[in-house]
């Protein structure tokens, strides 16, 4: 049948992933760093994705296409939810690598109640997910959607006392040490940034020269992802002060 459906100009697409996040039907996915219409029958032709595209890469066209199949869309959504549930319930690897999303809002409510009763408020962890090591985190995870990333050197949490409140709060934290891990983080970070809807990136590093490897890996990942994402670098001195 001839009907209205979206068309994506890959030359204009910057790979930001905003359209894929806005498509409730799952018709759009990210392939090789570019948005792509995965299935005609998942596209309802309403165009929720159009206003989200910052480069104007998405337009409507009239062409031969399979009709919108709401049942197939709902079945796909259900299958994704069930698959995620199976992955979390049926995890059989190292417990330290099992993906978890942590609910800090519930903890904050409990801490507020404790403060009312005792006048004391415990220091709250702001770690939003597990695992947090760059080498262990999955490339695709629900907590990456719309996330602000903090990519931090291991030592920063020990050198700077208030790292949880000032840097980790409201962010997804990934940590690593380019000297001890002896691995190029840029490939994995590129995939995480390219395949998820990342809103911003903050790099937290130490002043020591070896920490420059972490900063350079993030810079390369941002360039290779093809996305234009705001990012910043903060450096901590060995005596626990912010240098820039």
């Amino acid at each position: 049948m001839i009907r209205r459906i979206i068309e994506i100009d890959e030359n204009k697409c910057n790979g930001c992933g905003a359209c894929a996040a806005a498509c409730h039907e799952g018709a759009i996915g990210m392939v090789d760093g570019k948005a792509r219409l995965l299935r005609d029958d998942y596209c309802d032709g309403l165009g929720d994705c159009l206003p989200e595209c910052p480069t104007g890469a998405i337009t409507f066209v009239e062409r031969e296409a399979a009709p919108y199949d709401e049942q197939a869309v709902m079945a796909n959504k259900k299958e994704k939810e069930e698959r995620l549930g199976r992955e979390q319930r049926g995890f059989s690897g190292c417990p330290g690598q099992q993906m978890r999303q942590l609910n800090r809002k519930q903890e904050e409510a409990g801490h507020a109640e404790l403060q009312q009763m005792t006048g004391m408020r415990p220091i709250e962890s702001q770690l939003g997910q597990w695992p947090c090591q760059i080498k262990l985190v999955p490339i695709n995870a629900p907590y990456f959607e719309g996330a602000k990333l903090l990519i931090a050197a291991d030592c920063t949490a020990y050198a700077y006392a208030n790292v949880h409140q000032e840097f980790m709060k409201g962010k997804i934290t990934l940590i690593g040490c380019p000297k001890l891990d002896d691995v190029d983080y840029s490939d994995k970070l590129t995939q995480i940034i390219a395949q998820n809807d990342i809103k911003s990136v903050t790099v937290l590093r130490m002043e020591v020269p070896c920490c420059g490897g972490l900063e350079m890996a993030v810079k390369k990942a941002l360039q290779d992802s093809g996305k234009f994402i705001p990012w910043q670098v903060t450096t901590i001195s060995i005596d626990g002060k912010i240098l820039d």
Side-chain angles (χ1 to χ4, degrees):
M1 63 179 293
I2 302 295
R3 71 178 184 95
R4 187 170 76 163
I5 196 167
I6 65 160
E7 183 174 76
I8 302 172
D9 185 340
E10 290 194 6
N11 293 323
K12 291 183 178 180
C13 175
N14 68 0
C16 70
C19 59
C23 181
H24 306 298
E25 290 72 33
I28 301 175
M30 304 304 295
V31 179
D32 297 328
K34 296 284 188 175
R36 185 174 297 175
L37 180 61
L38 301 177
R39 286 184 51 161
D40 287 359
D41 59 340
Y42 283 8
C43 178
D44 59 11
L46 297 179
D48 288 346
C49 53
L50 265 72
E52 300 300 323
C53 180
T55 64
I58 306 175
T59 55
F60 281 126
V61 295
E62 296 278 340
R63 66 169 174 82
E64 182 73 30
Y68 173 62
D69 188 340
E70 185 176 5
Q71 287 187 336
V73 169
M74 297 306 295
N76 182 52
K77 287 182 179 180
K78 184 178 179 181
E79 194 276 332
K80 284 183 177 180
E81 291 172 358
E82 290 177 348
R83 184 170 66 245
L84 179 60
R86 288 195 300 270
E87 289 172 356
Q88 292 178 340
R89 291 192 304 271
F91 185 83
S92 59
C94 169
Q97 291 183 251
Q98 185 173 5
M99 183 179 67
R100 296 181 179 89
Q101 191 161 359
L102 307 177
N103 190 340
R104 294 300 178 193
K105 291 183 179 179
Q106 289 183 357
E107 289 186 12
E108 288 175 5
H111 290 163
E113 185 178 349
L114 179 64
Q115 184 178 25
Q116 275 190 336
M117 295 171 59
T118 66
M120 299 175 62
R121 187 178 182 88
I123 297 173
E124 300 164 354
S125 170
Q126 297 300 325
L127 184 63
Q129 91 295 336
W130 186 267
C132 56
Q133 287 280 350
I134 297 172
K135 292 202 303 182
L136 299 182
V137 293
I139 291 170
N140 298 106
Y143 48 71
F144 282 137
E145 289 307 306
K148 298 177 181 178
L149 284 189
L150 173 67
I151 302 175
D154 292 351
C155 296
T156 55
Y158 299 95
Y160 192 72
N162 205 31
V163 69
H164 279 256
Q165 290 297 325
E166 290 188 41
F167 292 100
M168 292 172 61
K169 190 172 185 178
K171 296 183 177 71
I172 292 300
T173 301
L174 307 181
I175 65 172
C177 175
K179 185 171 184 177
L180 296 180
D181 285 345
D182 192 26
V183 66
D184 184 1
Y185 295 131
S186 61
D187 289 342
K188 187 167 189 179
L189 291 174
T190 298
Q191 294 179 71
I192 289 173
I193 293 169
Q195 297 182 30
N196 297 280
D197 180 24
I198 305 299
K199 297 301 185 185
S200 67
V201 176
T202 299
V203 179
L204 188 63
R205 56 163 292 185
M206 296 297 297
E207 64 174 325
V208 293
C210 56
C211 247
L214 184 65
E215 180 179 341
M216 294 306 297
V218 174
K219 184 176 182 180
K220 185 176 187 301
L222 286 165
Q223 291 173 339
D224 291 349
S225 73
K227 292 186 177 181
F228 300 95
I229 298 174
W231 75 295
Q232 60 180 329
V233 180
T234 299
T235 303
I236 305 296
S237 68
I238 57 175
D239 59 349
K241 295 181 175 62
I242 294 177
L243 297 180
D244 52 25

